[in-house]
Amino acid sequence: MPRSDERAKVDPLRPKYHFIAPSGWMNDPNGLILFRGEYHVFYQHNPNGAFAGTRHWGHAVSKDLIRWRHLPTALSPGNGGYDKDGCWSGSAVDNDGVPVILYTGVMPEVQCVALGSQDMVYWEKYAGNPVISSHPESLDLKGFRDPCVWKEDGRWYMLLGSGIEGKGGTALLYESNDLLRWRYLHPICFGRIDRTGEVWECPDFFPLEDKHVLIISALKKTLYYTGKYRDKEFHPEMLGTVDLGDHFYAAKSMIDEKGRRIIFGWIREARSGPVQLASGWSGLFSLPRQLALDKEGILNVTPLPELKSLRGDGFEDEGVRIDADSCKVLEDVEGDCLEIEADLDLGDSRELGLIVRCSPRLVEATFISYNRRSARLYLDSSKSSLNPECEGGREGGALKVDSGEHIKLNLFLDRSAIEVFANGRICLTGRAYPSRADSKRIGVFSRGGSAKLASIKIWKMKPIWD
Ligand code: DQQ
């Protein structure tokens, strides 16, 4: 059997313009940082194969957040001791010119430090690890991991994802003068078990415009609170979803050189374990997304404009009528690595949208649609693949649209990964694993009335890897 990197390279479902590990398993983004003029990403990685296994910190560098170069593994589990069962998620910070990683060692969960060389290629674990070896005894905790670290008024602060037995998710606040000796303060806020689950993973906390945002991963989703941060306590005002789909998790953000708040998430698989293992790869990062707050304090998520630099040959059309309860497949254009901008006029339809990865006679097809009655955006992958090992279904969430407003979809298709940005506000991430080589056509459809494709632009996207 060929090695997993050789298998991964030839898999027609492996994305080509998203950040992805050279091979093997990957999950959460870790330690995103702009250091000495370059962007570094780390990620949860099992280089030994496309199964979760024992996590390492994979590492890559970029000048533009779009094109990446792989670097050697930054952290590997120790031979015995505090991180022998894995180097789990965390952050990277710049401590007066010295790069420092803070991560969770397992098992049990403890917090650890590693110091980097100036090019960030060599990492040395701190001899005094773990720097936090046990959790506050006063609380009955579930989970104690994924440090999010920042500097405020000359001091370091750390949030750890956790949960209180019977009460629900929380994030624990610590402070330090030197990143090595930490003092526990208190939970920064509490969730409601029915809305944000029992344990919060991968907290990410930052100021945005006149508010603070706390991103958490729970209940298989990436959620956020916006609110006010006062006296080291966070007072949430609003709870929302960073992504409407079920395949975007453990998001982590950073500030770029222009001062923009950029986020990446883990796009997980919807294929069976044996299929992942055989393909030699599992998981990828989302495209870089920019965050902003609208007038109502709702988080708006849009693709980084620099992604336009990946656009190749284009196709456009406009004013296409879509009859009631019909599908129209576009002539002269097809592909599996595309960006699409579609402006759809609902007309008197009940539901309308795009079809991608579509075979002749729609034997395989993936539908992205807006339903006027439920006011929801959907991705339906139940007919995406004839392969029974690939799970499909309908996923989605609320998209508020004013009367007369068109549905404006900016869709990024990268073989088996789909990210749909809708009306400049929200994103829905899903997966599709067509089994047929000819499932590459694009279409539009309408249900319950007629509609119009006001305009469509489609670009072939260039790969980011050689
Ligand atoms: N993944 C990491 C944990 C984190 C979880 C382990 C979230 O640190 O809580 O790979 O996906």
Side-chain angles (χ1 to χ4, degrees):
M1 175 119 131
R3 293 195 330 239
S4 58
D5 55 337
E6 287 161 2
R7 297 200 303 275
K9 221 181 263 172
V10 297
D11 182 357
L13 293 170
R14 185 164 178 263
K16 295 184 87 171
Y17 69 90
H18 280 70
F19 177 79
I20 194 164
S23 70
W25 167 280
M26 69 180 278
N27 55 296
D28 315 350
N30 295 152
L32 308 179
I33 189 170
L34 171 61
F35 188 74
R36 291 166 64 117
E38 291 191 309
Y39 297 103
H40 289 259
V41 292
F42 302 87
Y43 55 95
Q44 291 285 283
H45 188 208
N46 178 11
N48 302 317
F51 58 99
T54 313
R55 303 317 199 287
H56 299 53
W57 275 45
H59 184 193
V61 67
S62 168
K63 290 199 188 318
D64 61 2
L65 291 167
I66 310 284
R67 295 163 190 83
W68 297 90
R69 184 164 55 86
H70 289 296
L71 291 175
T73 297
L75 299 177
S76 301
N79 294 323
Y82 56 85
D83 64 1
K84 71 172 179 11
D85 291 329
C87 302
W88 283 14
S89 289
S91 299
V93 294
D94 177 349
N95 187 19
D96 289 331
V98 179
V100 179
I101 283 176
L102 294 106
Y103 68 101
T104 298
V106 280
M107 299 294 288
E109 292 164 348
V110 291
Q111 314 316 318
C112 310
V113 164
L115 306 175
S117 57
Q118 286 298 295
D119 57 5
M120 290 217 198
V121 169
Y122 301 98
W123 290 89
E124 198 176 323
K125 293 179 190 169
Y126 173 55
N129 275 343
V131 293
I132 306 179
S133 55
S134 60
H135 47 66
E137 271 170 18
S138 52
L139 299 170
D140 192 4
L141 293 182
K142 300 176 93 173
F144 186 63
R145 59 179 176 272
D146 308 336
C148 163
V149 182
W150 71 94
K151 202 171 202 176
E152 191 183 309
D153 301 330
R155 281 230 169 105
W156 291 104
Y157 290 86
M158 177 196 285
L159 269 189
L160 290 172
S162 189
I164 297 178
E165 191 68 51
K167 187 165 172 162
T170 187
L172 308 174
L173 186 64
Y174 284 74
E175 74 174 359
S176 168
N177 288 323
D178 58 6
L179 294 168
L180 302 174
R181 283 162 298 170
W182 291 92
R183 184 166 79 94
Y184 171 63
L185 297 180
H186 47 249
I188 200 166
C189 68
F190 298 98
R192 268 183 40 187
I193 200 162
D194 55 330
R195 300 184 74 188
T196 62
E198 291 189 315
V199 178
W200 290 353
E201 296 185 304
C202 301
D204 196 48
F205 187 57
F206 50 87
L208 190 64
E209 291 149 44
D210 60 342
K211 304 221 182 248
H212 264 74
V213 179
L214 174 65
I215 291 182
I216 51 166
S217 289
L219 302 173
K220 297 193 169 166
K221 295 248 186 201
T222 302
L223 307 169
Y224 72 87
Y225 284 108
T226 51
K228 292 282 184 218
Y229 177 51
R230 271 191 311 266
D231 303 327
K232 309 285 174 261
E233 281 181 1
F234 179 57
H235 303 272
E237 294 165 350
M238 222 208 71
L239 174 66
T241 316
V242 180
D243 189 287
L244 300 177
D246 298 330
H247 296 87
F248 176 91
Y249 197 70
K252 182 121 188 122
S253 77
M254 68 182 301
I255 287 280
D256 79 346
E257 62 184 3
K258 296 182 181 149
R260 298 175 298 184
R261 181 59 63 176
I262 313 285
I263 195 167
F264 288 87
W266 162 39
I267 301 186
R268 67 175 184 82
E269 296 298 319
R271 303 171 292 167
S272 69
V275 172
Q276 292 178 48
L277 199 59
S279 73
W281 67 279
S282 173
L284 64 145
F285 275 6
S286 68
L287 293 171
R289 304 175 181 182
Q290 192 176 334
L291 300 181
L293 288 182
D294 73 8
K295 292 193 295 290
E296 290 150 27
I298 296 173
L299 202 62
N300 282 358
V301 183
T302 50
L304 204 68
E306 286 85 337
L307 287 161
K308 293 190 173 83
S309 67
L310 297 177
R311 289 175 176 173
D313 292 346
F315 162 95
E316 44 186 289
D317 204 351
E318 58 182 14
V320 180
R321 186 186 150 84
I322 318 167
D323 292 332
D325 303 307
S326 78
C327 294
K328 190 169 257 166
V329 172
L330 303 179
E331 301 295 330
D332 307 322
V333 63
E334 62 169 37
D336 59 0
C337 285
L338 302 172
E339 180 188 347
I340 304 175
E341 273 182 4
D343 180 332
L344 295 150
D345 180 348
L346 277 159
D348 56 11
S349 66
R350 188 180 64 244
E351 182 157 342
L352 94 165
L354 294 171
I355 316 172
V356 297
R357 302 254 32 190
C358 174
S359 72
R361 291 182 300 286
L362 275 77
V363 177
E364 290 183 331
T366 302
F367 302 86
I368 296 95
S369 61
Y370 175 74
N371 184 299
R372 193 203 301 259
R373 208 177 285 164
S374 62
R376 287 171 94 80
L377 183 72
Y378 293 110
L379 188 150
D380 187 346
S381 57
S382 45
K383 278 186 67 185
S384 292
S385 181
L386 295 173
N387 182 350
E389 298 285 309
C390 301
E391 174 196 302
R394 200 179 206 215
E395 58 195 301
L399 172 66
K400 272 200 201 128
V401 169
D402 292 335
S403 98
E405 188 179 350
H406 286 192
I407 306 302
K408 294 191 176 170
L409 303 181
N410 186 190
L411 186 150
F412 292 85
L413 167 67
D414 195 0
R415 296 177 132 191
S416 59
I418 301 172
E419 290 172 85
V420 193
F421 295 86
N423 291 48
R425 329 200 237 278
I426 188 78
C427 188
L428 193 171
T429 302
R431 304 301 305 259
Y433 304 94
S435 62
R436 291 173 55 141
D438 59 358
S439 293
K440 287 193 180 162
R441 307 199 67 183
I442 316 294
V444 284
F445 73 100
S446 170
R447 288 188 193 124
S450 65
K452 194 165 93 182
L453 176 62
S455 68
I456 190 162
K457 291 184 181 157
I458 303 176
W459 295 270
K460 303 242 180 224
M461 294 295 266
K462 296 177 199 150
I464 59 166
W465 313 99
D466 298 332

